[in-house]
Amino acid sequence: MTSSATRDATRSSKPVAVRTAWALLGAFLLVWVVFEMVKHAGWVIPLGVLGFIAPDLSFFVGASGPHQHGQLPRATVGVYNLVHRPVGPLVWMTVVALLADGPGQNAAPFTFGLAWLLHIALDRALGYGLRTPDGWQR
């Protein structure tokens, strides 16, 4: 059951230490993503940018469903939670690293995964976490 105070919240109430840890990881990942983009250029740059914004494209899944301000429609919650878990980009980067023949061939998809993980880290640092089945912040 959700109280009205919880329903009106737009950000999670994680402890400052947890959010600081996510912020430090986000800073590290930001430097790494920019380094990869500058080092490899080409397709690495657009895939890095796409990796950063792709998780929020989940907002468009079922966006027309009934919801209140600060709440995601129920049809969106599953996809949103799936793409906002760190395991997704970690599995992606592992598979890319194992399947590619060399650093020149896997730089773009690997940077996509790094930027995806950066997005998640910054969301968590700013207090935006996973959603409840009703679409509210946890």
Side-chain angles (χ1 to χ4, degrees):
M1 189 175 223
T2 316
S3 70
S4 63
T6 304
R7 296 178 119 196
D8 293 337
T10 56
R11 296 186 187 185
S12 69
S13 58
K14 295 287 182 192
V16 174
V18 172
R19 290 177 60 184
T20 302
W22 280 109
L24 291 173
L25 176 63
F28 171 74
L29 291 170
L30 177 62
V31 170
W32 194 358
V33 166
V34 170
F35 172 78
E36 291 294 328
M37 290 175 159
V38 170
K39 179 180 176 185
H40 296 286
W43 280 102
V44 176
I45 295 170
L47 277 178
V49 172
L50 180 62
F52 186 73
I53 63 170
D56 281 344
L57 296 177
S58 64
F59 285 127
F60 296 114
V61 175
S64 62
H67 63 281
Q68 297 175 20
H69 179 72
Q71 178 188 28
L72 289 180
R74 287 180 186 251
T76 307
V77 173
V79 175
Y80 177 89
N81 283 346
L82 181 67
V83 298
H84 280 85
R85 292 184 187 273
V87 71
L90 292 173
V91 168
W92 172 266
M93 291 185 297
T94 302
V95 169
V96 165
L98 293 174
L99 294 181
D101 290 334
Q105 294 180 346
N106 68 355
F110 187 80
T111 303
F112 175 88
L114 280 177
W116 181 6
L117 189 57
L118 167 63
H119 176 101
I120 294 168
L122 293 181
D123 269 3
R124 301 284 170 85
L126 294 171
Y128 299 108
L130 300 176
R131 300 295 183 119
T132 65
D134 291 337
W136 298 103
Q137 287 285 339
R138 289 186 184 184

